[in-house]
């Protein structure tokens, strides 16, 4: 099995995102975007270094509102 080597910062950030997903699952179960912003953040952290992943995840979060006309954003 191939294991992806992630920096400690990326691992901690992914852990926080997963904890967020667990705590907010029932409250906000419908998302306008695909993939959801938290899933997008995890994918970005798995693919890029910490700072680039945070940058592109922040751009995604800026569009995460009901007034945004973008419903699909490519995977990171």
């Amino acid at each position: 099995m191939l294991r992806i080597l992630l920096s400690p910062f990326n691992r901690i950030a992914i852990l926080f995102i997963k904890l967020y997903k667990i705590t907010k699952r029932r409250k906000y179960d419908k998302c306008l975007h695909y993939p959801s912003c938290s899933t997008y953040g995890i994918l970005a952290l798995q693919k890029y270094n910490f700072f680039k992943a945070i940058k592109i995840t922040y751009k995604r979060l800026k569009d995460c509102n009901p007034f945004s006309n973008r419903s699909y954003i490519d995977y990171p």
Side-chain angles (χ1 to χ4, degrees):
M1 175 183 233
L2 180 64
R3 187 166 175 104
I4 299 172
L5 297 176
L6 297 174
S7 74
F9 291 118
N10 288 29
R11 289 177 191 239
I12 292 170
I14 289 172
L15 177 68
F16 280 128
I17 292 172
K18 286 183 178 181
L19 289 173
Y20 169 79
K21 287 176 78 169
I22 290 170
T23 59
K24 299 297 182 186
R25 182 177 296 156
R26 294 184 183 196
K27 194 172 185 181
Y28 305 107
D29 58 348
K30 294 189 179 185
C31 184
L32 299 174
H33 298 284
Y34 179 81
S36 68
C37 294
S38 54
T39 304
Y40 188 86
I42 290 173
L43 290 172
L45 285 163
Q46 289 174 344
K47 187 172 182 180
Y48 300 112
N49 67 23
F50 179 76
F51 296 107
K52 184 173 182 177
I54 295 299
K55 181 181 174 182
I56 64 174
T57 302
Y58 175 73
K59 287 181 182 178
R60 171 68 182 254
L61 287 172
K62 285 193 323 184
D63 286 335
C64 189
N65 62 59
F67 304 110
S68 176
N69 58 359
R70 299 173 69 187
S71 62
Y72 179 83
I73 300 176
D74 290 334
Y75 289 104

